[in-house]
Amino acid sequence: MEEDYAIQLVQVGKKYKENASRLFHVRNKLLFRKSKKEGKWSIKDISLTIQKGESVAILGDNGSGKSTLLKVILGVTSPTTGEVKINGKIGGLIELGAGFQKELSGRENIYMNGVVLGLTEKEIDGIVDDVIEFSELEDHIDKPIKTYSSGMKIRLGFSIAIHVNSDIVLLDEVLAVGDQRFRKKALRAIREFLKGKTIVFVSHSAHQVRAVCEKAVVLDKGEVIYFGDVDSALELYENEIVERNDKEIEEKNEENRQTDSITT
Amino acid sequence: MALKFWENKDFIKTLSKREIISKYKQSLLGKLWILIEPMGLMIVLTIVFSVFVRLPSEGVPYAAFLFVALLPWLYFNKAVGASTRIIVSSSGLIRQRNFYRPALVLIKLLSETVNFGMTLIGLIAVLGYYHIVPGINALYAIPILFVQIIMMLGLMFLLSAANAYVRDVGLVTPIILRLGRYLSPVMYSFHSIPAQYQLIMALNPLTGILDGYRQAFLHNQPPNMTLLLYSFVFSIVIFVIGWITFKKLEKNFADVV
């Protein structure tokens, strides 16, 4: 029963320090000292369990901590507080176009990304043709990455992410760019290739979220305000956004009116 | 630690191979550059220090005398000099994937070691030209190289991790290395400097290493063990410091690159 979870977060928080204190940050790290300077909590006290085979969307405004949450799950950055438990092999695409070596060809980069994800060269030999075919980059695959457009890089990155066999797949706004046709194809691929896998999906498109996920997390200012059924999550998120944005606009108008009356 | 490296051997192998390929990809002469640089330096320095200004060279032709220490120095210089960029230049991979970070340092070391191995062709050519045949004591070069590599690895771990957080490290390192070239017995002999300064010179941990190569290769003598022991202890200390620093800082590389 205990082994059923794929991702478990226990009271996870991540605080980013101010840039200027970097040097002290290093010193404190080395001396086990706690930094006195306050930073900004990007995510705070997040407890979350994602079961095996679930597909979960993360919803939230820019700056609500979505990317930080994904990074903590992926393990590229360590949480300041709490604990992250991962059960299974984790992969995915979290920063578009990153992770490629510019001077090397697309094909070489497939190998580089593959080994970084824990495959051997032989295993990559087995999937490389599929990756190239799916990305539709047959004509460019032996040219250096620096000649690729951003759309091409995303196609390649996405194609690698779905062909590498991992139990947990993190996808951060992978469908936000690229042309309409590839987006459709990618969405279909997520549903077909990643069936039965644990998916964590970040997107601003309600349509895509509904198509991919059953459940959703709503993040606000680094905290989880809802975790459950995707439809109610979307409703909550949209209502909240609409409401808050409206309020902010109103407040601004109010301010403007006041300054206007003062000047006149 | 060695076990961890072994677990990641596929990763290290594939990335080292690509590192070596990508470096010379867009150059006409490709791998020849590895040999052109030390050969060019040797010719210029030999003209300057054996024709224009005569430097004592332990009774050996200057070119051979120079090369035996210059090549290991260039190896040290290249690997340590490039180490500050290891983490910063892999920012894409680091932000994307959670892989075994120390592998990046090892990859750099491996690719520089391969290059160093190729420059040894130049050494063989030079020694052959002057009919210098190394004796049995040349085998001392192996433990000396081992000491050198430990020291390089320690510095590489330290500098790569530190520069990820504080970019000044990457600006200071080349300056120190340039000073190091003059303060180490590369272009001159450790034995030809005035006796009262030899003790100060001996504080440089590279002195024992570079002089050791010369003793072993050119004079068929064992290296000065006191100097070499000092270098060895220094290497171990710097390695431990480098490793601990790297392990402490690696967790949040993704936040700072």
Side-chain angles (χ1 to χ4, degrees):
Chain A
M1 201 53 203
E2 233 178 284
E3 292 295 299
D4 280 353
Y5 73 85
I7 300 167
Q8 193 170 48
L9 301 168
V10 186
Q11 294 183 310
V12 170
K14 173 80 189 175
K15 184 159 80 172
Y16 282 107
K17 305 255 178 356
E18 304 296 323
N19 251 1
S21 63
R22 244 183 216 170
L23 188 61
F24 302 101
H25 184 57
V26 176
R27 195 192 63 192
N28 291 333
K29 266 257 154 61
L30 289 174
L31 300 176
F32 300 99
R33 228 185 270 160
K34 279 251 149 60
S35 175
K36 277 178 212 132
K37 201 153 184 179
E38 280 304 302
K40 187 178 165 293
W41 287 94
S42 177
I43 50 174
K44 220 164 37 186
D45 199 28
I46 292 189
S47 295
L48 195 66
T49 305
I50 297 174
Q51 304 294 333
K52 270 187 185 162
E54 276 185 336
S55 49
V56 178
I58 300 180
L59 304 170
D61 285 357
N62 289 329
S64 61
K66 295 189 302 276
S67 293
T68 309
L69 185 60
L70 283 185
K71 279 184 187 169
V72 168
I73 293 174
L74 189 59
V76 296
T77 181
S78 64
T80 316
T81 60
E83 199 189 346
V84 181
K85 287 188 244 173
I86 302 294
N87 188 6
K89 206 172 121 190
I90 193 161
L93 186 60
I94 69 160
E95 244 179 84
L96 300 176
F100 287 129
Q101 173 115 26
K102 282 190 305 192
E103 294 291 330
L104 292 177
S105 69
R107 190 187 300 274
E108 300 280 356
N109 269 291
I110 297 176
Y111 279 88
M112 273 194 48
N113 268 267
V115 287
V116 170
L117 286 165
L119 300 186
T120 61
E121 286 218 41
K122 270 216 187 84
E123 286 172 307
I124 302 167
D125 286 337
I127 60 163
V128 68
D129 289 333
D130 294 338
V131 172
I132 296 168
E133 198 195 317
F134 186 87
S135 65
E136 303 170 9
L137 290 168
E138 287 92 342
D139 299 337
H140 302 273
I141 202 66
D142 291 311
K143 292 182 191 157
I145 288 279
K146 63 181 174 192
T147 64
Y148 283 31
S149 68
S150 56
M152 287 155 81
K153 277 188 254 183
I154 283 144
R155 264 146 60 190
L156 187 61
F158 179 79
S159 186
I160 296 170
I162 60 163
H163 282 92
V164 169
N165 201 1
S166 45
D167 310 316
I168 304 165
V169 188
L170 309 182
L171 298 169
D172 187 3
E173 301 195 45
V174 284
L175 303 179
V177 246
D179 55 65
Q180 193 76 32
R181 195 183 53 77
F182 190 81
R183 253 187 274 176
K184 269 195 187 137
K185 181 176 169 183
L187 200 57
R188 208 163 49 234
I190 292 176
R191 281 191 288 187
E192 282 168 19
F193 287 47
L194 305 181
K195 208 169 197 167
K197 289 184 182 168
T198 312
I199 303 172
V200 181
F201 186 63
V202 171
S203 170
H204 284 292
S205 149
H207 163 69
Q208 289 169 1
V209 167
R210 274 204 189 88
V212 174
C213 304
E214 302 140 16
K215 293 174 104 178
V217 176
V218 181
L219 276 181
D220 185 38
K221 297 195 180 99
E223 287 176 90
V224 174
I225 55 170
Y226 180 82
F227 179 42
D229 168 61
V230 67
D231 286 314
S232 2
L234 276 169
E235 202 176 312
L236 176 78
Y237 172 62
E238 270 158 16
N239 286 344
E240 198 217 326
I241 284 278
V242 170
E243 242 169 65
R244 199 199 289 158
N245 284 356
D246 283 357
K247 221 183 271 172
E248 267 166 24
I249 290 166
E250 237 168 67
E251 270 166 22
K252 238 178 219 155
N253 286 345
E254 191 76 17
E255 264 170 45
N256 287 346
R257 228 171 288 142
Q258 278 173 352
T259 43
D260 280 353
S261 57
I262 290 166
T263 45
T264 50
Chain B
M1 186 188 139
L3 196 79
K4 264 287 199 189
F5 279 142
W6 184 248
E7 272 173 32
N8 288 280
K9 66 176 188 311
D10 275 312
F11 172 54
I12 293 169
K13 204 175 72 191
T14 307
L15 262 68
S16 309
K17 208 160 79 189
R18 267 141 194 108
E19 158 109 24
I20 296 167
I21 298 172
S22 76
K23 196 165 177 186
Y24 300 100
K25 193 125 208 200
Q26 225 178 45
S27 64
L28 287 173
L29 296 175
K31 293 212 169 59
L32 267 179
W33 281 111
I34 300 170
L35 267 175
I36 293 172
E37 193 201 346
M39 284 299 200
L41 258 178
M42 180 201 71
I43 292 167
V44 171
L45 291 174
T46 303
I47 292 171
V48 172
F49 291 121
S50 68
V51 181
F52 297 169
V53 184
R54 289 195 67 90
L55 273 187
S57 55
E58 300 175 4
V60 182
Y62 187 81
F65 164 83
L66 174 75
F67 234 38
V68 170
L70 181 69
L71 293 180
W73 163 258
L74 286 178
Y75 173 40
F76 179 90
N77 183 45
K78 281 251 176 61
V80 174
S83 71
T84 55
R85 290 188 298 275
I86 292 174
I87 299 303
V88 180
S89 69
S90 308
S91 62
L93 278 180
I94 284 174
R95 286 204 307 264
Q96 261 302 320
R97 310 272 181 242
N98 182 21
F99 55 90
Y100 186 60
R101 311 288 199 226
L104 289 175
V105 173
L106 210 69
I107 286 160
K108 189 86 217 167
L109 181 78
L110 272 179
S111 74
E112 288 301 337
T113 306
V114 169
N115 288 353
F116 172 59
M118 287 196 240
T119 60
L120 292 183
I121 298 169
L123 179 65
I124 293 170
V126 170
L127 290 182
Y129 180 80
Y130 290 108
H131 303 289
I132 298 170
V133 183
I136 186 75
N137 279 318
L139 289 176
Y140 274 111
I142 295 165
I144 300 174
L145 183 64
F146 176 74
V147 173
Q148 184 183 345
I149 288 177
I150 302 269
M151 193 191 300
M152 284 161 55
L153 259 182
L155 287 170
M156 289 168 83
F157 277 127
L158 182 69
L159 296 176
S160 61
N163 191 52
Y165 283 78
V166 192
R167 296 292 146 84
D168 310 50
V169 174
L171 301 171
V172 168
T173 305
I175 300 172
I176 294 176
L177 282 171
R178 212 170 307 147
L179 296 178
R181 174 187 286 189
Y182 296 101
L183 293 175
S184 307
V186 178
M187 290 175 276
Y188 52 85
S189 166
F190 172 62
H191 305 281
S192 63
I193 58 174
Q196 70 264 36
Y197 297 123
Q198 280 190 1
L199 198 65
I200 301 169
M201 189 75 191
L203 289 177
N204 177 350
L206 284 173
T207 300
I209 293 173
L210 296 174
D211 188 55
Y213 286 126
R214 279 195 181 129
Q215 295 300 327
F217 262 98
L218 300 174
H219 306 296
N220 197 17
Q221 293 288 324
N224 182 330
M225 286 302 170
T226 320
L227 284 180
L228 194 61
L229 187 71
Y230 167 72
S231 302
F232 180 63
V233 173
F234 185 91
S235 299
I236 296 288
V237 170
I238 207 78
F239 182 82
V240 171
I241 293 173
W243 179 252
I244 292 173
T245 309
F246 192 91
K247 284 312 251 184
K248 278 218 167 310
L249 298 180
E250 69 167 349
K251 293 187 196 82
N252 291 313
F253 279 164
D255 301 340
V256 289
V257 293

